[in-house]
Amino acid sequence: AALSIRAAHLAEAEAAAEAALQQQVSPEELERRKKYLQEQRQRLLESKKREREDNLTKRAAAKAKDPPTGAAAKASELTKVANEVLAAVASTVRTSDSKPEDEADRKREEMRRALSQRVKADLAAALANP
């Protein structure tokens, strides 16, 4: 209750001050002050916007310089290893004949394919659950 009475008195005082100011200040002076305050506001907004953009640019540059950590580093490492394994398997598959010469070669080829599929599945699971 005391706060509402105080707020009412404050509102009345502000209204009285504004009325007194309007009586003392010409309309041209009010317009000039209004324009000045709008320009100041615009300058302040532009300054804040530039500051935010600068901070964003600095953070992006700092983030680009820092190596990834945590889950991102693990995913990056897994991707690198998986790509190396897949490249090795693919080069081995490309260099070998399409028809295995004996049973041992056929089994090795099946193991390579199974390993390749397993690496792909593990990589997909690791990337899906960082």
Side-chain angles (χ1 to χ4, degrees), residues 4-60:
S4 63
I5 293 172
R6 184 175 178 159
H9 286 296
L10 192 60
E12 287 176 17
E14 287 177 358
E18 186 176 329
L21 182 64
Q22 287 179 353
Q23 291 175 356
Q24 294 174 357
V25 180
S26 69
E28 294 84 20
E29 180 66 15
L30 281 177
E31 197 59 38
R32 187 185 65 77
R33 289 181 185 180
K34 181 179 176 182
K35 183 178 178 183
Y36 172 77
L37 290 174
Q38 287 174 342
E39 290 172 355
Q40 286 293 95
R41 180 180 182 274
Q42 189 62 33
R43 283 189 217 121
L44 182 62
L45 290 175
E46 289 172 0
S47 172
K48 292 290 186 179
K49 182 179 178 183
R50 277 194 306 272
E51 185 179 330
R52 282 192 303 270
E53 289 172 352
D54 290 344
N55 286 340
L56 182 62
T57 304
K58 287 177 185 175
R59 276 189 254 131

Side-chain angles (χ1 to χ4, degrees), residues 65-94:
K65 289 179 184 177
D66 293 340
T69 58
K74 185 177 179 181
S76 176
E77 184 179 330
L78 286 173
T79 302
K80 181 179 175 184
V81 170
N83 286 337
E84 290 173 1
V85 169
L86 291 175
V89 169
S91 67
T92 305
V93 170
R94 274 187 239 118

